[in-house]
Amino acid sequence: MKNPFASASAAILTVALLSGIAFPAVAQEAATPNAQLASRELNARVDALMRKMSLEEKIGQLVQYSVGAATGPDASKLSYDDLVAQGQIGSLLNVHGSDQVNHFEHIAMEKSRLHIPLIFGLDVIHGMHTTFPVPLGLASSWDPEMVKGVAHTSAVESRAEGVPWVFSPMVDIARDARWGRIVESAGEDPYLGAAIARAWVEGYQQNDLSKPDSVAVSVKHFAAYGAAIAGRDYNATDMSDITLRQVYLPPYHAAVEAGAATMMSSFNSINGIPASANPYTLTQILRREWRFDGFVVSDWGAVSELLNHSIGADGSTVARKAIEAGVDMDMEGGLYGTTLAAQVRSGAIPESVIDEACRRILRVKFALGLFDHPYIAPTPAYVATPEKRAQARKVADETIVLLKNDGVEGYGKLLPLGKSVKTVALIGPLADSQQDMLGSWGALGDAKNAISLRQALTERLGDHLVYARGVDVLYGEDEANLRHALGQPETPVWDEKQGIAEAVAAAQKSDVVVMALGENAVWMTGEATSRSNLDLPGHQEQLLEAVAATGKPVVLVMFTGRPSTIPWAAKHIPAIVEAWFPGIEGGHAVADVLFGDVNPSARLTTSFARDVGQEPLYYSQLPTGRPAHADLNHLPANGEEKFLSRYLDVNNSALFPFGWGLSYTTFRFSAPKLSAESIAAAELKPGSGAPVMVTATVTNTGSVAGTEVAQLYIRNTAASVEQPVRVLKGFARVALQPGETKTVTFPLGFDELSFYNAQSQRVVEPTVYKVFVGGSSLADLTTSLTVR
């Protein structure tokens, strides 16, 4: 359908063009993705309201403050109640529960001149009360339908708290494990990332914002926030337009196509232009090309932080640049409400720009039903019911990755633990931590509802479980300082030398040792938690080596928010499990996997480096003119070629690659087959379907039921622009009984075979594609497709 606001969008674009920014010629989308926001009835109500609004009231809709922060009242010398009554606030964040929500809504609906409700937002990242695994773990399930269910449960609980707007999902592509916010991402791949992004939006919004069990999303952080240079949070990003469009934008685009109601602009600059004042990304791409019809909110303080980016001498200038670029709402920046009106009256900002931003916000408020139902029923106390725990446990079961499972004398494969194991030693600083099970960004999750690994194993083993803490996640004094900074109960500085001795003694009493090691979820993962070293923090490596030296079989369980560098463990520890931060049922889920009640089916969505010096590391590297074998890592000898693209001290390859994950059974793939071995490029057009189908069989060759993740990769061997050595273009979870065979089918059409050329145009060219099918990015069964 025709975009009813095309003229206003064009006015903003004109402002951008007058700023001297040149945009490449790229085809525009044909229709607005969210039909609800574009409906005639809804927009008639918006237009009728806006005709009554003063300039100040329109600007008020563009202002958001956080309750508990002094930014708003300090900037205006008024209380929040006064600001709401005068129509100077459109949104509040960190407000939840019927007492708070209804207090502010009664003021807005009864005391403000036009009775416009507020919209309340909150960072609901992986659950509101019922805390599920962190997003990086959820993505490791390779199960978009499961993610959709998590989003829906979160929406129901958010609405009950009076929060109709969640600052989720984060869909940034993350290829550098040093970046702390990788924990909130779906990992390194744009195809998988797009599928997960779409699932989040569909689960949250239910394709109808007016439903009482749906919430509006805020897709973040637009754009390319995950490509911060050196993995340092808030740092600049610098990349070609091809890389931006081909790697970093697809998940955002998928979210917009799924009907995302709002987007959040990011802190970083992109090629020298801050993302929160960037007309190329916010207007040209988001609104002109993708026809996004929701509104954009800045990240916390991002508009005022434009001063630090040195693109304006004062608050008025940077506020003007942000609003004209396409940031509709100023989160905690304090500039829109204090500087825009004067600039409109002076002619520096066209009032049509304010009108369009206000209109976008009001559309979402009407779509959510806030004008008709502004108040909420009394908020009930949260109860982690058996049904909620069952969902959280099943989800966590699907997110745990078995990285290694070698044979051990007397046991065969060490996992799953069998009946011959009588006594288990549980050792490590994450073994008995309920708080760390929740992960970062836990919203209203309460650690008292979380099941630690110690609790879960005690339920199974009783007195046959021996526990020792060993060491802290950080060094003793650092751990004490951390607790003080977080307001947690202070504990005596831990004697780590004695703690290691106690751990060794516990191991010696056991048949098998389970080591629970990793990161502090709150302090070491999430926002502003970049790390320059990805080894196990503190003295955990020393603890691991001391326990392994006892000769007892060791299972290493990792509770982390990012890939870790664990080369020693990968060489010496027979079984390694990546559990991420698995949520309130995390302990039970890990125990399910350790004892074989659940056969692990998760697969990595991020590459595990051998050394931090490999970062950023990802499977879909561009080829070089001097390729080296991925496992070559020594000084040239015996006539070997020196001048190759490699390291002298570490393999090029990942320790554990993208798509990797083991099972308690084994699988066999057949070579892929194509429905056509050749196709004309002219047949491959947007929206024309998939003229070629790829099929392969998957067989469970083991003795227990299991689920394989079948993965399709392609390589373009003769493009006009260099393409990666392989890229993911399809996947499917395949559940198989022992001996069972199933056929998987993947489409190959314009969406899968196209790429961006040097003119930033998405095209298909005559070439030959290699097509791979297998169980990870190492898939080696291949065939070829010719595009003529």
PDB file of all heavy atoms in Angstrom, residues 421-453:
ATOM      1  N   VAL A 421      28.833 -44.037  38.220  1.00  0.00           N
ATOM      2  CA  VAL A 421      29.290 -42.864  38.964  1.00  0.00           C
ATOM      3  C   VAL A 421      28.500 -42.783  40.264  1.00  0.00           C
ATOM      4  O   VAL A 421      27.285 -42.542  40.257  1.00  0.00           O
ATOM      5  CB  VAL A 421      29.096 -41.568  38.142  1.00  0.00           C
ATOM      6  CG1 VAL A 421      29.486 -40.352  38.971  1.00  0.00           C
ATOM      7  CG2 VAL A 421      29.913 -41.640  36.872  1.00  0.00           C
ATOM      8  N   LYS A 422      29.175 -42.980  41.363  1.00  0.00           N
ATOM      9  CA  LYS A 422      28.509 -42.978  42.668  1.00  0.00           C
ATOM     10  C   LYS A 422      28.633 -41.633  43.374  1.00  0.00           C
ATOM     11  O   LYS A 422      27.675 -41.156  43.972  1.00  0.00           O
ATOM     12  CB  LYS A 422      29.097 -44.089  43.558  1.00  0.00           C
ATOM     13  CG  LYS A 422      29.011 -45.477  42.953  1.00  0.00           C
ATOM     14  CD  LYS A 422      27.571 -45.878  42.664  1.00  0.00           C
ATOM     15  CE  LYS A 422      27.503 -47.298  42.106  1.00  0.00           C
ATOM     16  NZ  LYS A 422      26.119 -47.685  41.736  1.00  0.00           N
ATOM     17  N   THR A 423      29.819 -41.045  43.321  1.00  0.00           N
ATOM     18  CA  THR A 423      30.066 -39.801  44.034  1.00  0.00           C
ATOM     19  C   THR A 423      30.596 -38.757  43.058  1.00  0.00           C
ATOM     20  O   THR A 423      31.511 -39.032  42.275  1.00  0.00           O
ATOM     21  CB  THR A 423      31.095 -39.994  45.166  1.00  0.00           C
ATOM     22  OG1 THR A 423      30.603 -40.993  46.061  1.00  0.00           O
ATOM     23  CG2 THR A 423      31.311 -38.695  45.926  1.00  0.00           C
ATOM     24  N   VAL A 424      30.020 -37.569  43.099  1.00  0.00           N
ATOM     25  CA  VAL A 424      30.413 -36.481  42.224  1.00  0.00           C
ATOM     26  C   VAL A 424      30.909 -35.313  43.074  1.00  0.00           C
ATOM     27  O   VAL A 424      30.265 -34.932  44.059  1.00  0.00           O
ATOM     28  CB  VAL A 424      29.230 -36.008  41.347  1.00  0.00           C
ATOM     29  CG1 VAL A 424      29.608 -34.752  40.558  1.00  0.00           C
ATOM     30  CG2 VAL A 424      28.794 -37.114  40.402  1.00  0.00           C
ATOM     31  N   ALA A 425      32.051 -34.770  42.694  1.00  0.00           N
ATOM     32  CA  ALA A 425      32.539 -33.544  43.319  1.00  0.00           C
ATOM     33  C   ALA A 425      32.119 -32.371  42.445  1.00  0.00           C
ATOM     34  O   ALA A 425      32.393 -32.357  41.239  1.00  0.00           O
ATOM     35  CB  ALA A 425      34.055 -33.576  43.466  1.00  0.00           C
ATOM     36  N   LEU A 426      31.450 -31.409  43.029  1.00  0.00           N
ATOM     37  CA  LEU A 426      31.043 -30.186  42.325  1.00  0.00           C
ATOM     38  C   LEU A 426      31.919 -29.054  42.844  1.00  0.00           C
ATOM     39  O   LEU A 426      31.882 -28.724  44.033  1.00  0.00           O
ATOM     40  CB  LEU A 426      29.574 -29.875  42.571  1.00  0.00           C
ATOM     41  CG  LEU A 426      29.046 -28.567  41.980  1.00  0.00           C
ATOM     42  CD1 LEU A 426      29.181 -28.558  40.456  1.00  0.00           C
ATOM     43  CD2 LEU A 426      27.606 -28.329  42.400  1.00  0.00           C
ATOM     44  N   ILE A 427      32.686 -28.456  41.936  1.00  0.00           N
ATOM     45  CA  ILE A 427      33.707 -27.492  42.344  1.00  0.00           C
ATOM     46  C   ILE A 427      33.616 -26.246  41.471  1.00  0.00           C
ATOM     47  O   ILE A 427      33.443 -26.342  40.247  1.00  0.00           O
ATOM     48  CB  ILE A 427      35.109 -28.117  42.221  1.00  0.00           C
ATOM     49  CG1 ILE A 427      35.260 -29.306  43.187  1.00  0.00           C
ATOM     50  CG2 ILE A 427      36.204 -27.077  42.488  1.00  0.00           C
ATOM     51  CD1 ILE A 427      36.514 -30.117  42.962  1.00  0.00           C
ATOM     52  N   GLY A 428      33.746 -25.093  42.094  1.00  0.00           N
ATOM     53  CA  GLY A 428      33.858 -23.863  41.325  1.00  0.00           C
ATOM     54  C   GLY A 428      32.993 -22.737  41.855  1.00  0.00           C
ATOM     55  O   GLY A 428      31.994 -22.960  42.554  1.00  0.00           O
ATOM     56  N   PRO A 429      33.332 -21.494  41.523  1.00  0.00           N
ATOM     57  CA  PRO A 429      32.624 -20.327  42.051  1.00  0.00           C
ATOM     58  C   PRO A 429      31.231 -20.125  41.469  1.00  0.00           C
ATOM     59  O   PRO A 429      30.446 -19.362  42.029  1.00  0.00           O
ATOM     60  CB  PRO A 429      33.546 -19.166  41.673  1.00  0.00           C
ATOM     61  CG  PRO A 429      34.288 -19.645  40.468  1.00  0.00           C
ATOM     62  CD  PRO A 429      34.501 -21.110  40.698  1.00  0.00           C
ATOM     63  N   LEU A 430      30.917 -20.798  40.348  1.00  0.00           N
ATOM     64  CA  LEU A 430      29.574 -20.665  39.759  1.00  0.00           C
ATOM     65  C   LEU A 430      28.661 -21.813  40.152  1.00  0.00           C
ATOM     66  O   LEU A 430      27.484 -21.825  39.770  1.00  0.00           O
ATOM     67  CB  LEU A 430      29.676 -20.600  38.234  1.00  0.00           C
ATOM     68  CG  LEU A 430      30.033 -19.258  37.572  1.00  0.00           C
ATOM     69  CD1 LEU A 430      29.039 -18.181  37.936  1.00  0.00           C
ATOM     70  CD2 LEU A 430      31.444 -18.818  37.887  1.00  0.00           C
ATOM     71  N   ALA A 431      29.170 -22.755  40.954  1.00  0.00           N
ATOM     72  CA  ALA A 431      28.397 -23.951  41.274  1.00  0.00           C
ATOM     73  C   ALA A 431      27.183 -23.647  42.141  1.00  0.00           C
ATOM     74  O   ALA A 431      26.144 -24.311  42.016  1.00  0.00           O
ATOM     75  CB  ALA A 431      29.292 -24.971  41.975  1.00  0.00           C
ATOM     76  N   ASP A 432      27.289 -22.665  43.009  1.00  0.00           N
ATOM     77  CA  ASP A 432      26.224 -22.411  43.980  1.00  0.00           C
ATOM     78  C   ASP A 432      25.727 -20.971  43.895  1.00  0.00           C
ATOM     79  O   ASP A 432      25.305 -20.394  44.888  1.00  0.00           O
ATOM     80  CB  ASP A 432      26.733 -22.716  45.394  1.00  0.00           C
ATOM     81  CG  ASP A 432      25.593 -22.876  46.392  1.00  0.00           C
ATOM     82  OD1 ASP A 432      24.493 -23.274  45.975  1.00  0.00           O
ATOM     83  OD2 ASP A 432      25.802 -22.601  47.586  1.00  0.00           O
ATOM     84  N   SER A 433      25.770 -20.389  42.700  1.00  0.00           N
ATOM     85  CA  SER A 433      25.382 -18.990  42.527  1.00  0.00           C
ATOM     86  C   SER A 433      24.039 -18.886  41.820  1.00  0.00           C
ATOM     87  O   SER A 433      23.940 -19.108  40.617  1.00  0.00           O
ATOM     88  CB  SER A 433      26.443 -18.224  41.722  1.00  0.00           C
ATOM     89  OG  SER A 433      26.005 -16.906  41.460  1.00  0.00           O
ATOM     90  N   GLN A 434      23.006 -18.551  42.567  1.00  0.00           N
ATOM     91  CA  GLN A 434      21.690 -18.341  41.951  1.00  0.00           C
ATOM     92  C   GLN A 434      21.682 -17.082  41.091  1.00  0.00           C
ATOM     93  O   GLN A 434      21.093 -17.063  40.010  1.00  0.00           O
ATOM     94  CB  GLN A 434      20.626 -18.225  43.042  1.00  0.00           C
ATOM     95  CG  GLN A 434      20.372 -19.514  43.807  1.00  0.00           C
ATOM     96  CD  GLN A 434      19.423 -19.298  44.968  1.00  0.00           C
ATOM     97  OE1 GLN A 434      19.812 -18.742  45.998  1.00  0.00           O
ATOM     98  NE2 GLN A 434      18.182 -19.732  44.804  1.00  0.00           N
ATOM     99  N   GLN A 435      22.347 -16.023  41.558  1.00  0.00           N
ATOM    100  CA  GLN A 435      22.334 -14.761  40.827  1.00  0.00           C
ATOM    101  C   GLN A 435      22.939 -14.924  39.439  1.00  0.00           C
ATOM    102  O   GLN A 435      22.410 -14.394  38.455  1.00  0.00           O
ATOM    103  CB  GLN A 435      23.113 -13.692  41.602  1.00  0.00           C
ATOM    104  CG  GLN A 435      23.087 -12.313  40.971  1.00  0.00           C
ATOM    105  CD  GLN A 435      21.708 -11.695  40.937  1.00  0.00           C
ATOM    106  OE1 GLN A 435      21.043 -11.604  41.962  1.00  0.00           O
ATOM    107  NE2 GLN A 435      21.260 -11.277  39.757  1.00  0.00           N
ATOM    108  N   ASP A 436      24.014 -15.659  39.330  1.00  0.00           N
ATOM    109  CA  ASP A 436      24.669 -15.803  38.039  1.00  0.00           C
ATOM    110  C   ASP A 436      23.857 -16.643  37.061  1.00  0.00           C
ATOM    111  O   ASP A 436      24.048 -16.530  35.849  1.00  0.00           O
ATOM    112  CB  ASP A 436      26.064 -16.400  38.215  1.00  0.00           C
ATOM    113  CG  ASP A 436      27.043 -15.397  38.792  1.00  0.00           C
ATOM    114  OD1 ASP A 436      27.274 -14.361  38.152  1.00  0.00           O
ATOM    115  OD2 ASP A 436      27.554 -15.629  39.901  1.00  0.00           O
ATOM    116  N   MET A 437      22.943 -17.457  37.556  1.00  0.00           N
ATOM    117  CA  MET A 437      22.080 -18.212  36.647  1.00  0.00           C
ATOM    118  C   MET A 437      21.205 -17.271  35.824  1.00  0.00           C
ATOM    119  O   MET A 437      20.829 -17.588  34.686  1.00  0.00           O
ATOM    120  CB  MET A 437      21.200 -19.198  37.408  1.00  0.00           C
ATOM    121  CG  MET A 437      21.944 -20.325  38.115  1.00  0.00           C
ATOM    122  SD  MET A 437      22.975 -21.355  37.050  1.00  0.00           S
ATOM    123  CE  MET A 437      24.591 -20.605  37.289  1.00  0.00           C
ATOM    124  N   LEU A 438      20.872 -16.095  36.381  1.00  0.00           N
ATOM    125  CA  LEU A 438      19.971 -15.168  35.702  1.00  0.00           C
ATOM    126  C   LEU A 438      20.644 -14.445  34.552  1.00  0.00           C
ATOM    127  O   LEU A 438      19.971 -14.005  33.610  1.00  0.00           O
ATOM    128  CB  LEU A 438      19.419 -14.147  36.698  1.00  0.00           C
ATOM    129  CG  LEU A 438      18.620 -14.696  37.880  1.00  0.00           C
ATOM    130  CD1 LEU A 438      18.043 -13.547  38.693  1.00  0.00           C
ATOM    131  CD2 LEU A 438      17.514 -15.633  37.427  1.00  0.00           C
ATOM    132  N   GLY A 439      21.962 -14.263  34.613  1.00  0.00           N
ATOM    133  CA  GLY A 439      22.641 -13.510  33.573  1.00  0.00           C
ATOM    134  C   GLY A 439      22.446 -12.015  33.742  1.00  0.00           C
ATOM    135  O   GLY A 439      21.797 -11.539  34.685  1.00  0.00           O
ATOM    136  N   SER A 440      23.005 -11.243  32.826  1.00  0.00           N
ATOM    137  CA  SER A 440      22.837  -9.795  32.860  1.00  0.00           C
ATOM    138  C   SER A 440      21.468  -9.421  32.292  1.00  0.00           C
ATOM    139  O   SER A 440      20.832 -10.213  31.611  1.00  0.00           O
ATOM    140  CB  SER A 440      23.945  -9.111  32.060  1.00  0.00           C
ATOM    141  OG  SER A 440      23.928  -9.550  30.714  1.00  0.00           O
ATOM    142  N   TRP A 441      21.028  -8.190  32.578  1.00  0.00           N
ATOM    143  CA  TRP A 441      19.740  -7.698  32.099  1.00  0.00           C
ATOM    144  C   TRP A 441      18.608  -8.638  32.516  1.00  0.00           C
ATOM    145  O   TRP A 441      17.822  -9.098  31.700  1.00  0.00           O
ATOM    146  CB  TRP A 441      19.731  -7.519  30.584  1.00  0.00           C
ATOM    147  CG  TRP A 441      20.658  -6.477  30.066  1.00  0.00           C
ATOM    148  CD1 TRP A 441      21.807  -6.681  29.367  1.00  0.00           C
ATOM    149  CD2 TRP A 441      20.530  -5.049  30.191  1.00  0.00           C
ATOM    150  NE1 TRP A 441      22.404  -5.485  29.043  1.00  0.00           N
ATOM    151  CE2 TRP A 441      21.633  -4.461  29.543  1.00  0.00           C
ATOM    152  CE3 TRP A 441      19.581  -4.211  30.790  1.00  0.00           C
ATOM    153  CZ2 TRP A 441      21.825  -3.082  29.471  1.00  0.00           C
ATOM    154  CZ3 TRP A 441      19.775  -2.849  30.732  1.00  0.00           C
ATOM    155  CH2 TRP A 441      20.890  -2.297  30.074  1.00  0.00           C
ATOM    156  N   GLY A 442      18.500  -8.888  33.804  1.00  0.00           N
ATOM    157  CA  GLY A 442      17.499  -9.821  34.311  1.00  0.00           C
ATOM    158  C   GLY A 442      16.124  -9.221  34.529  1.00  0.00           C
ATOM    159  O   GLY A 442      15.242  -9.909  35.048  1.00  0.00           O
ATOM    160  N   ALA A 443      15.907  -7.942  34.144  1.00  0.00           N
ATOM    161  CA  ALA A 443      14.609  -7.270  34.314  1.00  0.00           C
ATOM    162  C   ALA A 443      14.149  -7.421  35.765  1.00  0.00           C
ATOM    163  O   ALA A 443      14.890  -7.072  36.685  1.00  0.00           O
ATOM    164  CB  ALA A 443      13.586  -7.796  33.324  1.00  0.00           C
ATOM    165  N   LEU A 444      12.957  -7.977  35.997  1.00  0.00           N
ATOM    166  CA  LEU A 444      12.442  -8.126  37.356  1.00  0.00           C
ATOM    167  C   LEU A 444      12.675  -9.528  37.901  1.00  0.00           C
ATOM    168  O   LEU A 444      12.073  -9.927  38.895  1.00  0.00           O
ATOM    169  CB  LEU A 444      10.941  -7.803  37.386  1.00  0.00           C
ATOM    170  CG  LEU A 444      10.537  -6.416  36.890  1.00  0.00           C
ATOM    171  CD1 LEU A 444       9.047  -6.184  37.097  1.00  0.00           C
ATOM    172  CD2 LEU A 444      11.341  -5.322  37.592  1.00  0.00           C
ATOM    173  N   GLY A 445      13.558 -10.277  37.251  1.00  0.00           N
ATOM    174  CA  GLY A 445      13.886 -11.611  37.733  1.00  0.00           C
ATOM    175  C   GLY A 445      14.504 -11.568  39.114  1.00  0.00           C
ATOM    176  O   GLY A 445      15.267 -10.657  39.450  1.00  0.00           O
ATOM    177  N   ASP A 446      14.174 -12.551  39.943  1.00  0.00           N
ATOM    178  CA  ASP A 446      14.642 -12.611  41.323  1.00  0.00           C
ATOM    179  C   ASP A 446      15.503 -13.854  41.494  1.00  0.00           C
ATOM    180  O   ASP A 446      15.064 -14.975  41.190  1.00  0.00           O
ATOM    181  CB  ASP A 446      13.439 -12.658  42.265  1.00  0.00           C
ATOM    182  CG  ASP A 446      13.810 -12.458  43.720  1.00  0.00           C
ATOM    183  OD1 ASP A 446      14.972 -12.753  44.096  1.00  0.00           O
ATOM    184  OD2 ASP A 446      12.947 -12.011  44.493  1.00  0.00           O
ATOM    185  N   ALA A 447      16.719 -13.656  42.003  1.00  0.00           N
ATOM    186  CA  ALA A 447      17.654 -14.776  42.145  1.00  0.00           C
ATOM    187  C   ALA A 447      17.104 -15.873  43.054  1.00  0.00           C
ATOM    188  O   ALA A 447      17.492 -17.041  42.911  1.00  0.00           O
ATOM    189  CB  ALA A 447      18.993 -14.272  42.684  1.00  0.00           C
ATOM    190  N   LYS A 448      16.195 -15.526  43.961  1.00  0.00           N
ATOM    191  CA  LYS A 448      15.674 -16.562  44.864  1.00  0.00           C
ATOM    192  C   LYS A 448      14.870 -17.616  44.102  1.00  0.00           C
ATOM    193  O   LYS A 448      14.662 -18.728  44.608  1.00  0.00           O
ATOM    194  CB  LYS A 448      14.816 -15.927  45.955  1.00  0.00           C
ATOM    195  CG  LYS A 448      13.479 -15.389  45.475  1.00  0.00           C
ATOM    196  CD  LYS A 448      12.699 -14.754  46.609  1.00  0.00           C
ATOM    197  CE  LYS A 448      11.333 -14.247  46.132  1.00  0.00           C
ATOM    198  NZ  LYS A 448      10.593 -13.560  47.216  1.00  0.00           N
ATOM    199  N   ASN A 449      14.418 -17.285  42.886  1.00  0.00           N
ATOM    200  CA  ASN A 449      13.687 -18.250  42.071  1.00  0.00           C
ATOM    201  C   ASN A 449      14.593 -19.143  41.233  1.00  0.00           C
ATOM    202  O   ASN A 449      14.117 -20.071  40.577  1.00  0.00           O
ATOM    203  CB  ASN A 449      12.717 -17.522  41.138  1.00  0.00           C
ATOM    204  CG  ASN A 449      11.581 -16.852  41.880  1.00  0.00           C
ATOM    205  OD1 ASN A 449      11.014 -17.434  42.792  1.00  0.00           O
ATOM    206  ND2 ASN A 449      11.262 -15.629  41.496  1.00  0.00           N
ATOM    207  N   ALA A 450      15.894 -18.840  41.218  1.00  0.00           N
ATOM    208  CA  ALA A 450      16.821 -19.573  40.356  1.00  0.00           C
ATOM    209  C   ALA A 450      17.324 -20.843  41.029  1.00  0.00           C
ATOM    210  O   ALA A 450      17.566 -20.874  42.247  1.00  0.00           O
ATOM    211  CB  ALA A 450      18.001 -18.682  39.984  1.00  0.00           C
ATOM    212  N   ILE A 451      17.480 -21.873  40.232  1.00  0.00           N
ATOM    213  CA  ILE A 451      18.012 -23.154  40.702  1.00  0.00           C
ATOM    214  C   ILE A 451      19.485 -23.220  40.328  1.00  0.00           C
ATOM    215  O   ILE A 451      19.832 -23.218  39.144  1.00  0.00           O
ATOM    216  CB  ILE A 451      17.260 -24.338  40.079  1.00  0.00           C
ATOM    217  CG1 ILE A 451      15.759 -24.237  40.347  1.00  0.00           C
ATOM    218  CG2 ILE A 451      17.829 -25.655  40.604  1.00  0.00           C
ATOM    219  CD1 ILE A 451      15.376 -24.268  41.804  1.00  0.00           C
ATOM    220  N   SER A 452      20.344 -23.269  41.339  1.00  0.00           N
ATOM    221  CA  SER A 452      21.782 -23.382  41.067  1.00  0.00           C
ATOM    222  C   SER A 452      22.123 -24.819  40.712  1.00  0.00           C
ATOM    223  O   SER A 452      21.346 -25.753  40.955  1.00  0.00           O
ATOM    224  CB  SER A 452      22.588 -22.941  42.289  1.00  0.00           C
ATOM    225  OG  SER A 452      22.452 -23.893  43.340  1.00  0.00           O
ATOM    226  N   LEU A 453      23.306 -25.000  40.151  1.00  0.00           N
ATOM    227  CA  LEU A 453      23.747 -26.350  39.809  1.00  0.00           C
ATOM    228  C   LEU A 453      23.915 -27.184  41.078  1.00  0.00           C
ATOM    229  O   LEU A 453      23.592 -28.385  41.091  1.00  0.00           O
ATOM    230  CB  LEU A 453      25.053 -26.292  39.020  1.00  0.00           C
ATOM    231  CG  LEU A 453      25.609 -27.630  38.524  1.00  0.00           C
ATOM    232  CD1 LEU A 453      24.572 -28.407  37.717  1.00  0.00           C
ATOM    233  CD2 LEU A 453      26.870 -27.412  37.697  1.00  0.00           C
TER     234      LEU A 453
END
